[in-house]
Amino acid sequence: MRDRHEYDVTVEWTGDLGSGTESYRSYSRDHDVLADGRQGIAGSADPAFRGDPTRWNPEQLLVASVAQCHMLSYLHLCAVNGVTVTEYEDRAHGVLAMDESGGGGRVTGVTLRPEVTVAEASMVEKARTLHGEVPALCFIARSVDFPIDHQPVIRVRA
């Protein structure tokens, strides 16, 4: 395996409404997130910042990245530790806190709430324990400076 991996994306602003950024209200926050060979993601700002509520915003994409990386790392750990996962769904939640000036802020935490179904009752405890091992593997979790809380629910396939 290579020691270095690189990822290229293009963010293309599509929100010029005719007068560019002449004023705070004169432009749309709409943009596309693109990468070679992939379907684009329609992005905007959070609606609180004049964004389009029907498009993805960067804060949602950050929370999604944390949840995706956790899931992929977790599924790997399950596969190599004899835990058969048959279903996985995470309703992740992130919090952005504005600073005192109101002009900036930061993500202060993400809570992952994965609901995992395993093949056998004998796998439940190991399935729960493996969530705690994910932070050491997940590239995204290792790259952010906010806490990531895990609240897994483990079920046995009916």
Side-chain angles (χ1 to χ4, degrees):
M1 186 181 295
R2 296 185 349 228
D3 289 337
R4 181 178 169 103
H5 302 267
E6 298 181 14
Y7 304 91
D8 298 308
V9 299
T10 300
V11 176
E12 183 178 289
W13 179 50
T14 59
D16 182 355
L17 302 177
S19 59
T21 59
E22 185 176 282
S23 74
Y24 185 73
R25 297 180 185 278
S26 70
Y27 65 96
S28 165
R29 277 57 176 176
D30 291 358
H31 58 272
D32 293 327
V33 180
L34 308 164
D36 287 343
R38 289 170 181 82
Q39 193 170 34
I41 298 171
S44 191
D46 182 299
F49 307 110
R50 301 192 50 77
D52 181 340
T54 67
R55 290 173 164 248
W56 287 88
N57 64 60
E59 297 81 10
Q60 289 172 313
L61 292 171
L62 177 61
V63 173
S65 292
V66 170
Q68 286 174 283
C69 191
H70 182 91
M71 178 192 69
L72 295 168
S73 298
Y74 177 75
L75 294 175
H76 164 75
L77 287 171
C78 287
V80 299
N81 283 282
V83 175
T84 303
V85 174
T86 60
E87 293 179 46
Y88 185 109
E89 180 176 274
D90 189 347
R91 297 183 188 276
H93 175 76
V95 176
L96 172 74
M98 300 302 291
D99 64 20
E100 293 152 6
S101 72
R106 66 184 301 270
V107 173
T108 59
V110 170
T111 300
L112 303 177
R113 297 177 291 218
E115 296 183 15
V116 180
T117 302
V118 296
E120 299 174 15
S122 63
M123 299 174 177
V124 169
E125 261 328 293
K126 186 65 171 178
R128 187 176 324 282
T129 300
L130 290 174
H131 279 285
E133 295 181 23
V134 169
L137 295 179
C138 173
F139 305 136
I140 304 299
R142 292 171 50 103
S143 300
V144 299
D145 69 349
F146 52 78
I148 301 171
D149 185 34
H150 311 103
Q151 299 174 355
V153 172
I154 312 295
R155 295 187 178 94
V156 179
R157 179 175 55 195

